[in-house]
């Protein structure tokens, strides 16, 4: 019988593989890659936001101006109407016909003479009303309002109360109608002066003004758009440079930096990004250096282990035992090497140090006491000021004991080794001096490099990492490590650390309590 082939069924959410006698379900979700949609750029959004705000401001300003001017036109028209009414009231109160010098005989002569002696402006019309009927006006054109039922009705309604009202004429647009009544004693019939003030010309001027304003506002808006587009592009230029720089940065090249220009928020962001790039470059460099160092230095002990294991004769107990001791020794060396490399890799991290306030004189005395166990030497204390400084006590102890161990390797029993500290020019210096042969000037930088070694004594199994660890600890404190000639011969290794200041109100050093 031919075996049944395996069947594979795949759905968008779950991939299930069925085999004869066995079913396996892979429930991993499979998400389709979504295409990136081009969005509106920040520059465009800023420009549109500016344009919208300016458009709203211009529109609001135009509306306010229109309302103010519209009300002002009505107020001016009302003032002109009131002026004509006041002149008519004074003329009526005088009561003397200027043609005869005698009192007016009735309402009609009063109204007719007033119309003859007062010429209305082009936007005004004077009409005389008597006993519910209109008298002909001075200007024949003023009679154009007569015969309109709405106009007649308004005049009849306003005559008893001497009021005014706005009315929209079919031919002249909106007009202001004001009525002032007059009545003689003994005459039951009532006359009235009707003043009509046309508002169309004023409204036309206001309309022209607003059209002009709209054109100027539109041109201003275009100008704002152009300036906003240019200015936003100028302000966002560092961000575009940031994007372009980020695109050029690769895993092997983190040296690109953004140009710093100006003193605004974008400049502050640029400095922050540059600082981030520097930290990333330092971190990547540290990792790369760690991998290179580990790969280089672990190759030899791994080769030794592999070679001895391949040549090992399991049937020989003596050979197994000797190989075991040799391999354990190599494992110990690899452990020490790995520990030192990890410590150097950690030296670039911000949590490498734990700063605390330390009594400097007490620290140096403890260091001398701990160093006595490193070898039979004449250990001395060069003294230290009684001050308290900020440092990582454990890291400084590690560095100084490393220097002391190095001094033991280059001296003999009974030779003098001293540890001391001092304050000078805003720095605290801690040193270890010995009476050994010293360090040649040509080796004084080499010995602080990783795996860098000068002249070494016989049976020195170091890796050349001890002094590089010392320099890393000093650099973590913002200081330096160097070697110089001791005053009485030999070498003096010096840690120079700046005095730390955690708070502005505190001084950089404190007397020890």
């Amino acid at each position: 019988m031919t075996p049944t082939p395996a069947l594979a069924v795949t759905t968008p959410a779950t991939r299930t593989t069925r085999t004869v006698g066995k079913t396996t379900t892979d429930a991993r979700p499979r998400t389709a890659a979504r295409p990136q949609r081009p969005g509106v750029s920040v520059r465009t959004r800023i420009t549109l936001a500016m344009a919208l705000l300016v458009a709203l401001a211009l529109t609001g300003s135009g509306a306010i101006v229109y309302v103010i001017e519209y009300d002002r036109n009505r107020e001016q028209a009302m003032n002109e109407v009131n002026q004509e009414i006041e002149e008519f009231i004074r003329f009526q109160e005088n009561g003397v016909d200027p043609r005869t010098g005698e009192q007016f005989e009735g309402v009609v002569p009063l109204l007719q003479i007033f119309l003859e002696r007062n010429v209305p402006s082009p936007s005004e019309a004077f009409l005389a009303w008597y006993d519910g009927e209109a008298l002909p006006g001075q200007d024949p054109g003023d009679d154009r309002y007569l015969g309109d039922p709405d106009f007649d009705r308004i005049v009849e309604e306003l005559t008893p109360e001497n009021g005014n009202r706005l009315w929209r004429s079919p031919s002249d647009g909106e007009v202001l109608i004001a009525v002032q009544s007059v009545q003689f004693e003994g005459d039951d019939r009532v006359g009235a002066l009707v003043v009509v003030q046309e508002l169309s010309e004023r409204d036309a001027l206001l309309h022209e003004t607003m059209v002009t304003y709209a054109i100027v506002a539109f041109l201003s808006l275009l100008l704002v758009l152009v300036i906003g587009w240019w200015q936003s592009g100028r302000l966002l230029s560092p961000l575009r440079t940031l994007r372009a720089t980020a695109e050029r940065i690769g895993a092997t090249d983190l040296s690109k930096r953004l140009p710093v220009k100006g003193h605004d928020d974008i400049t502050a962001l640029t400095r922050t990004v540059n600082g981030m790039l520097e930290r990333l470059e330092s971190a990547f460099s540290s990792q790369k250096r760690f991998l290179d160092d580990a790969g280089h230095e672990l190759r030899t002990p791994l080769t030794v282990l592999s070679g001895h294991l391949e040549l090992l004769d399991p049937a020989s107990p003596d050979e197994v035992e000797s190989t075991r001791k040799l391999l354990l020794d190599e494992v110990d060396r690899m452990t020490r090497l790995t520990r030192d490399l990890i410590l150097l890799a950690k030296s670039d991290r911000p949590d490498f140090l734990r700063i605390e306030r330390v009594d400097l004189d007490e620290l140096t005395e403890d260091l001398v006491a701990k160093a006595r166990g490193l070898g039979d030497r004449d250990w001395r204390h060069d003294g230290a000021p009684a001050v308290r400084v900020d440092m990582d006590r454990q890291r400084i102890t590690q560095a100084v004991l490393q220097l002391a161990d190095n001094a033991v390797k280059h001296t003999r029993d009974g030779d003098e080794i001293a540890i001391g500290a001092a304050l000078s020019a805003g720095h605290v210096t801690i040193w270890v001096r010995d009476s050994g042969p010293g360090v040649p000037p040509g080796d004084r930088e080499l010995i602080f490099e990783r795996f860098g070694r000068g002249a070494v004594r016989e049976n020195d199994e170091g890796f050349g990492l001890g002094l590089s660890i010392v320099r890393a600890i000093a650099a973590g404190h913002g200081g330096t490590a160097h070697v110089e000639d001791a005053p009485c011969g030999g070498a003096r290794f010096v840690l120079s650390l700046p005095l730390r200041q955690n708070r502005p109100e505190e001084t950089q050093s404190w007397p020890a309590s």
Side-chain angles (χ1 to χ4, degrees):
M1 179 181 294
T2 305
T4 304
L7 299 177
V9 180
T10 303
T11 63
T14 305
R15 185 178 58 199
T16 304
T17 303
R18 293 190 179 89
T19 309
V20 175
K22 183 178 181 180
T23 301
T24 302
T25 301
D26 185 359
R28 291 174 298 177
R30 302 178 62 189
T31 303
R34 296 181 179 179
Q36 294 184 354
R37 298 179 180 178
V40 181
S41 65
V42 176
R43 183 180 187 182
T44 303
R45 283 185 285 174
I46 291 177
T47 305
L48 292 178
M50 292 176 58
L52 178 60
L53 291 176
V54 172
L56 291 176
L58 292 175
T59 303
S61 300
I64 293 174
V65 169
Y66 177 81
V67 171
I68 293 175
E69 291 299 320
Y70 182 86
D71 292 340
R72 183 178 298 173
N73 285 343
R74 269 58 184 166
E75 184 179 356
Q76 290 178 352
M78 182 62 68
N79 292 335
E80 294 179 4
V81 168
N82 290 336
Q83 180 182 356
E84 300 296 343
I85 295 296
E86 290 175 359
E87 291 181 2
F88 177 70
I89 292 175
R90 287 195 299 269
F91 187 73
Q92 174 188 353
E93 291 176 350
N94 185 26
V96 177
D97 188 342
R99 295 175 300 180
T100 61
E102 298 179 357
Q103 296 291 328
F104 285 107
E105 297 178 355
V107 174
V108 174
L110 173 65
L111 293 173
Q112 290 178 341
I113 292 175
F114 180 81
L115 295 181
E116 292 175 359
R117 296 177 60 87
N118 290 272
V119 179
S121 64
S123 61
E124 285 182 333
F126 295 158
L127 298 173
W129 215 267
Y130 181 70
D131 195 20
E133 296 181 356
L135 300 177
Q138 179 184 0
D139 187 352
D142 295 343
D143 297 341
R144 63 186 180 275
Y145 298 108
L146 301 179
D148 191 305
D150 292 336
F151 182 83
D152 296 344
R153 177 179 52 80
I154 292 174
V155 172
E156 291 178 1
E157 292 176 354
L158 294 177
T159 299
E161 59 187 30
N162 293 332
N164 57 77
R165 187 180 302 177
L166 289 174
W167 174 62
R168 180 167 295 278
S169 170
S171 59
D172 298 331
E174 195 171 32
V175 296
L176 176 63
I177 304 173
V179 177
Q180 179 61 42
S181 62
V182 58
Q183 185 178 11
F184 274 60
E185 294 183 2
D187 190 353
D188 295 336
R189 291 172 294 182
V190 179
L193 174 67
V194 180
V195 181
V196 181
Q197 182 73 239
E198 297 178 1
L199 302 176
S200 58
E201 292 186 5
R202 300 173 187 269
D203 292 342
L205 290 176
L206 177 58
H207 177 73
E208 292 178 0
T209 302
M210 296 310 299
V211 169
T212 304
Y213 174 83
I215 295 174
V216 174
F218 178 73
L219 295 178
S220 301
L221 181 60
L222 291 180
L223 181 62
V224 169
L225 279 172
V226 173
I227 296 177
W229 180 264
W230 171 77
Q231 185 66 15
S232 60
R234 179 174 174 269
L235 292 176
L236 295 175
S237 177
L239 296 181
R240 293 195 298 270
T241 306
L242 170 61
R243 184 186 65 183
T245 304
E247 291 175 351
R248 292 196 301 270
I249 292 176
T252 58
D253 183 15
L254 295 173
S255 61
K256 303 294 183 181
R257 295 294 181 270
L258 304 178
V260 179
K261 298 179 181 179
H263 303 281
D264 52 9
D265 295 339
I266 301 296
T267 306
L269 175 62
T270 302
R271 293 194 182 97
T272 302
V273 172
N274 283 340
M276 180 189 67
L277 292 176
E278 290 178 2
R279 292 190 296 272
L280 288 175
E281 183 180 17
S282 176
F284 280 115
S285 299
S286 177
Q287 291 181 359
K288 184 177 183 298
R289 188 164 58 247
F290 171 77
L291 293 175
D292 292 343
D293 294 342
H296 179 270
E297 293 301 321
L298 293 177
R299 185 182 299 113
T300 299
L302 289 175
T303 302
V304 172
L305 293 176
S306 176
H308 281 279
L309 289 175
E310 289 177 356
L311 299 176
L312 175 65
D313 183 6
S316 174
D318 295 336
E319 185 176 350
V320 170
E321 181 63 23
S322 62
T323 302
R324 174 179 174 275
K325 293 181 180 179
L326 186 146
L327 295 184
L328 287 177
D329 183 65
E330 284 299 312
V331 170
D332 290 339
R333 292 182 66 251
M334 291 173 59
T335 301
R336 286 195 300 119
L337 174 61
T338 304
R339 184 175 61 250
D340 291 344
L341 289 175
I342 292 175
L343 178 62
L344 287 174
K346 289 182 177 180
S347 64
D348 294 329
R349 290 168 44 175
D351 59 347
F352 178 63
L353 300 179
R354 296 181 179 179
I355 302 301
E356 59 181 318
R357 197 168 297 181
V358 179
D359 293 324
L360 191 58
D361 56 344
E362 178 185 339
L363 173 65
T364 53
E365 291 178 358
D366 291 343
L367 290 174
V368 174
K370 293 177 179 179
R372 295 183 189 277
L374 297 176
D376 185 13
R377 303 292 186 269
D378 183 13
W379 295 97
R380 300 289 183 89
H381 183 213
D382 281 349
V387 296
R388 304 179 69 188
V389 295
D390 284 342
M391 62 176 60
D392 188 327
R393 184 187 185 98
Q394 293 184 357
R395 293 298 186 194
I396 293 298
T397 299
Q398 180 183 4
V400 174
L401 291 181
Q402 177 65 50
L403 295 177
D405 182 67
N406 190 67
V408 170
K409 293 179 181 179
H410 292 82
T411 55
R412 297 181 176 85
D413 292 346
D415 287 350
E416 179 180 307
I417 300 177
I419 299 175
L423 292 178
S424 62
H427 285 71
V428 55
T429 56
I430 303 175
W431 64 82
V432 176
R433 63 175 179 86
D434 60 59
S435 56
V439 181
D443 293 341
R444 292 183 178 178
E445 282 298 322
L446 173 64
I447 59 177
F448 285 98
E449 297 178 359
R450 296 190 180 190
F451 306 107
R453 308 187 70 185
V456 296
R457 289 197 171 190
E458 187 178 357
N459 298 326
D460 186 353
E461 297 181 354
F463 300 103
L465 294 176
L467 293 181
S468 62
I469 293 175
V470 172
R471 172 165 284 184
I473 293 175
H477 285 79
T480 59
H482 67 278
V483 60
E484 59 190 20
D485 293 330
C488 300
R492 188 172 88 145
F493 287 81
V494 181
L495 297 177
S496 179
L497 313 177
L499 289 173
R500 302 173 65 89
Q501 183 174 0
N502 292 337
R503 291 175 292 275
E505 66 272 12
E506 295 180 346
T507 56
Q508 292 183 323
S509 63
W510 301 264
S513 57

